[in-house]
């Protein structure tokens, strides 16, 4: 079948964000691949692939978080290293851009924003896991320890968000996880 000739129409360049990476590319990566890394069970697939991106259209901090995570995900898989660095930097910039509005949302959790706050807190954990792996070297033992402490603190934050807004949250994540149901125990000083 021959192609029907038509007028030559110049293709407009894709709209890019201020970081130079196309938002559509990052959203596509998140909704086709990255979301899978957040699913603990098959019951969470629809939540991470469809519900959370839909929430992100209403909550800028969540959009920034999922675009950051997708950008960092691309950074782990692309060559050459200059390209990976560009995606990693873009991810960090989206992450940084999401922090202030996220803090503001945490200060005033409501039934209208609790799902986005909860989802973003989980995305932040994923970003904290992904980011050090992209920049770590073999001799960064102290840095790795610090990252583990930060990760633990972020997990405690997610748990507190869940405890504060449990009756409002409609996202069925971690339904059977005992971590979210138990109360933290104090460590002895030697630990």
């Amino acid at each position: 079948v021959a192609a029907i000739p038509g007028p030559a129409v110049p293709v407009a360049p894709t709209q890019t964000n201020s970081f130079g990476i196309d938002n559509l590319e990052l959203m596509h990566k998140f909704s086709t691949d990255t979301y899978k890394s957040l699913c603990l069970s098959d019951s969470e697939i629809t939540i991470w692939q469809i519900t959370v991106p839909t929430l992100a259209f209403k909550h800028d901090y969540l959009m920034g978080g999922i675009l950051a995570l997708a950008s960092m995900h691309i950074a782990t898989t692309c060559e050459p290293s200059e390209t990976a660095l560009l995606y990693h930097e873009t991810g960090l910039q989206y992450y940084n851009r999401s922090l202030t509005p996220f803090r503001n949302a945490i200060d005033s959790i409501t039934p209208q924003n609790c799902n986005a706050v909860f989802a973003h807190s989980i995305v932040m954990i994923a970003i904290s896991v992904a980011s050090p792996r992209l920049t770590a070297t073999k001799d960064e033992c102290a840095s790795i320890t610090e990252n583990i402490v930060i990760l633990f603190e972020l997990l405690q934050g997610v748990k507190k968000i869940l405890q504060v807004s449990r009756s409002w949250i409609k996202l069925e994540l971690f339904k059977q996880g005992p971590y979210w149901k138990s109360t933290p125990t104090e460590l002895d000083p030697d630990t």
Side-chain angles (χ1 to χ4, degrees):
V1 176
I4 300 172
V9 178
V11 177
T14 58
Q15 182 177 359
T16 57
N17 61 40
S18 60
F19 306 134
I21 301 290
D22 191 329
N23 291 338
L24 185 56
E25 174 190 11
L26 298 178
M27 182 57 85
H28 179 266
K29 181 66 173 178
F30 182 86
S31 63
T32 59
D33 197 17
T34 304
Y35 80 92
K36 295 173 190 174
S37 63
L38 298 169
C39 297
L40 296 178
S41 67
D42 289 345
S43 66
E44 294 182 5
I45 290 172
T46 301
I47 293 169
W48 285 111
Q49 186 179 28
I50 297 168
T51 306
V52 170
T54 302
L55 276 172
F57 290 120
K58 296 177 184 172
H59 303 277
D60 289 341
Y61 54 89
L62 181 56
M63 181 62 76
I66 64 176
L67 294 178
L69 187 58
S71 191
M72 290 181 181
H73 188 189
I74 293 170
T76 63
T77 61
C78 66
E79 293 289 332
S81 60
E82 298 83 32
T83 305
L85 186 58
L86 174 65
Y87 279 99
H88 183 252
E89 272 300 310
T90 297
L92 289 176
Q93 290 172 352
Y94 272 116
Y95 176 77
N96 289 336
R97 183 188 282 180
S98 74
L99 292 177
T100 298
F102 180 59
R103 282 188 201 112
N104 293 339
I106 288 174
D107 289 341
S108 57
I109 297 178
T110 66
Q112 291 74 35
N113 73 358
C114 65
N115 290 309
V117 169
F118 182 49
H120 186 70
S121 66
I122 296 165
V123 168
M124 287 182 68
I125 290 172
I127 290 169
S128 73
V129 169
S131 185
R133 291 184 61 217
L134 294 171
T135 58
T137 63
K138 293 179 182 177
D139 298 327
E140 289 185 347
C141 294
S143 178
I144 291 170
T145 303
E146 290 170 8
N147 288 333
I148 290 171
V149 171
I150 290 169
L151 180 60
F152 182 76
E153 290 172 350
L154 287 171
L155 283 168
Q156 290 297 325
V158 172
K159 185 174 181 176
K160 287 178 184 175
I161 289 168
L162 184 58
Q163 289 171 338
V164 166
S165 56
R166 182 181 307 274
S167 64
W168 299 331
I169 291 178
K170 302 297 182 227
L171 297 177
E172 294 186 14
L173 302 170
F174 313 116
K175 290 184 351 182
Q176 299 174 357
Y179 175 83
W180 308 105
K181 296 173 185 167
S182 66
T183 55
T185 58
E186 294 294 320
L187 297 177
D188 63 83
D190 293 336
T191 303

